[in-house]
Amino acid sequence: MTVEPTPQTAPRPHGAEEFRRRPLGRRLLAPLATLAGAGAAFTYVGLVDPNEPGHYPVCPLLRFTGLYCPGCGGLRSAHAVAHGDLATALGANALAVAGYAVCAVLMAVWLVHAVRGRPTRIAPRPASWWAIGALTALFTVVRNLPAGSALVP
């Protein structure tokens, strides 16, 4: 006697196959919501100038120690990017601009994969995380030295 699988006992697809079977709207929900959030943040920073005092808090590290953290100038660079001024953005915080570019590329990859029905999994190796940390630390140290004055916002 053969038993027909019921919805409760039928094997469920998982992983990539389950993702592929989702409707396009559901596959695009997460990347589009993330894109909308990033777009809203850039719109706000583009409209509310961080160069005007009183709109954003001061970096606590800069305020209490006089040292520039890796994020100092990040809002000014985002404001410049929102206005299409790449030279000013790089002058405010070159590391942040590189981060914006990496995020834009990853966002595009996520959207293309979602449209094609392929799940996106980005899992950098530990060596990549160490390299990013070392680059950030080097950027921070150099921008606080007299020779790195070009990296100061």
Side-chain angles (χ1 to χ4, degrees):
M1 177 170 139
T2 307
V3 177
E4 292 294 320
T6 64
Q8 291 82 17
T9 62
R12 291 188 43 148
H14 61 281
E17 184 60 33
E18 182 180 1
F19 185 80
R20 201 171 291 114
R21 289 186 182 181
R22 291 180 188 164
L24 179 62
R26 187 164 173 224
R27 291 192 316 251
L28 289 175
L29 184 63
L32 289 179
T34 303
L35 186 60
F42 266 87
T43 300
Y44 181 79
V45 173
L47 293 172
V48 181
D49 190 355
N51 296 303
E52 299 289 327
H55 293 294
Y56 299 98
V58 177
C59 172
L61 184 69
L62 181 61
R63 172 180 260 171
F64 296 121
T65 66
L67 296 174
Y68 293 101
C69 77
C72 281
L75 284 174
R76 286 174 284 213
S77 72
H79 179 78
V81 167
H83 288 273
D85 188 357
L86 189 59
T88 301
L90 287 168
N93 190 325
L95 188 64
V97 174
Y100 306 148
V102 168
C103 286
V105 168
L106 292 176
M107 191 75 234
V109 167
W110 191 12
L111 280 167
V112 168
H113 281 196
V115 168
R116 292 182 177 171
R118 294 175 26 203
T120 302
R121 182 162 187 254
I122 299 169
R125 295 187 172 132
S128 300
W129 289 115
W130 282 103
I132 291 168
L135 178 67
T136 303
L138 180 65
F139 176 77
T140 304
V141 169
V142 170
R143 79 186 317 204
N144 284 291
L145 295 174
S149 62
L151 297 175
V152 173

